[in-house]
Amino acid sequence: RSHPDVHKFSVETVQWYPHDTGMFTSSSFDKTLKIWDTNTLQPADIFHFEGTVYSHHMSPVATKHCLIAVGTKSPKVQLCDLKSGSSSHILQGHRQEVLAVSWSPRHEYILATGSADGRVKLWDVRRASGCLSTLDQHNGEKSKASSEAGNKKYNCRSEGWEMCYTSAAIPVLSMACGFFCAEDSCFNFLRKGLKFAISCGCNPEFAFVPYGSTIAVYTVFTGELITMLRGHYSTVNCCVFQPHFQ
């Protein structure tokens, strides 16, 4: 807290530069994204935004661009270029704030984003129109049932969103207030994001989701609850899956 370059509010996302341990990034509710020099522990660059920053991500496979995707309180997806030090361009299509962003682990120009509008969008950042497809849990239906479900599910707005990819590079978006949880429960009582994990090399694939002091294990494509992992004495905030040992 005494560091002169500390974030003013809570830090939501941190990530190492995928190709060099000399740099890492952090984004915060103070509306900034900071690029840190590991050797000096000082910001090499700072990006400022008009709204709260919920998430950011750099591509782990990119070789032809240095773009950082940023999700903020704005419905526009911001792309920041490390080479130029500026926001290179904007992806428009969401109707509410962008809560989760994640580059494809296989294709360096493909980006997945999740929004409070209840939709996941896939983008090719090389295209002028950008959006390749939109994933909607209710297939765009405006029925009373889906409307009620949507209202119930999205009451918690920004809390608990995170994007993961399956081993087949299929994006999975979890909102901790309902995507994988039971109809009548809401287990994200903290107003913080919960980081879940997807298995690798399993059939079927599993999602490991923090659930209070336990970890709920679901099948990804059916949403079936398999088991609850118990052992922590307080709230679980993050899960990471070890792909080499399952």
Side-chain angles (χ1 to χ4, degrees), residues 117-150:
D117 61 16
R119 292 174 172 83
V120 175
K121 287 184 177 290
L122 298 179
W123 311 81
D124 183 337
V125 298
R126 297 168 297 182
R127 295 175 41 160
S129 57
C131 189
L132 294 174
S133 62
T134 299
L135 309 179
D136 181 355
Q137 184 179 7
H138 302 290
N139 296 321
E141 294 178 1
K142 299 297 183 180
S143 66
K144 180 179 180 181
S146 63
S147 177
E148 290 175 352

Side-chain angles (χ1 to χ4, degrees), residues 57-62 65 101-112 122-123 163 165-166 168-171:
H57 192 236
M58 287 179 285
S59 171
V61 297
H65 71 77
V101 294
S102 185
W103 292 95
S104 166
R106 296 187 181 181
H107 308 286
E108 65 175 296
Y109 292 105
I110 303 301
L111 175 70
L122 298 179
W123 311 81
M163 186 88 68
Y165 281 85
T166 68
I170 300 173

Side-chain angles (χ1 to χ4, degrees), residues 153-165:
K153 190 162 295 192
Y154 304 132
N155 279 341
C156 292
R157 298 178 65 78
S158 64
E159 289 71 41
W161 285 76
E162 207 232 340
M163 186 88 68
C164 285
Y165 281 85

Side-chain angles (χ1 to χ4, degrees), residues 112-245:
T113 61
S115 167
D117 61 16
R119 292 174 172 83
V120 175
K121 287 184 177 290
L122 298 179
W123 311 81
D124 183 337
V125 298
R126 297 168 297 182
R127 295 175 41 160
S129 57
C131 189
L132 294 174
S133 62
T134 299
L135 309 179
D136 181 355
Q137 184 179 7
H138 302 290
N139 296 321
E141 294 178 1
K142 299 297 183 180
S143 66
K144 180 179 180 181
S146 63
S147 177
E148 290 175 352
N151 290 336
K152 182 177 183 178
K153 190 162 295 192
Y154 304 132
N155 279 341
C156 292
R157 298 178 65 78
S158 64
E159 289 71 41
W161 285 76
E162 207 232 340
M163 186 88 68
C164 285
Y165 281 85
T166 68
S167 58
I170 300 173
V172 177
L173 179 69
S174 171
M175 185 171 71
C177 289
F179 189 73
F180 282 122
C181 71
E183 286 283 329
D184 298 318
S185 66
C186 180
F187 57 84
N188 187 17
F189 299 107
L190 300 177
R191 305 186 76 79
K192 297 288 290 181
L194 300 179
K195 305 296 183 181
F196 74 106
I198 299 293
S199 66
C200 180
C202 298
N203 186 19
E205 292 193 90
F206 300 103
F208 301 88
V209 185
Y211 190 111
S213 63
T214 65
I215 299 158
V217 183
Y218 299 89
T219 54
V220 168
F221 293 105
T222 66
E224 178 186 359
L225 176 63
I226 301 299
T227 188
M228 302 291 289
L229 305 179
R230 294 177 171 84
H232 286 285
Y233 294 102
S234 189
T235 303
V236 180
N237 298 310
C238 178
C239 294
V240 177
F241 187 81
Q242 169 54 270
H244 301 297
F245 302 101

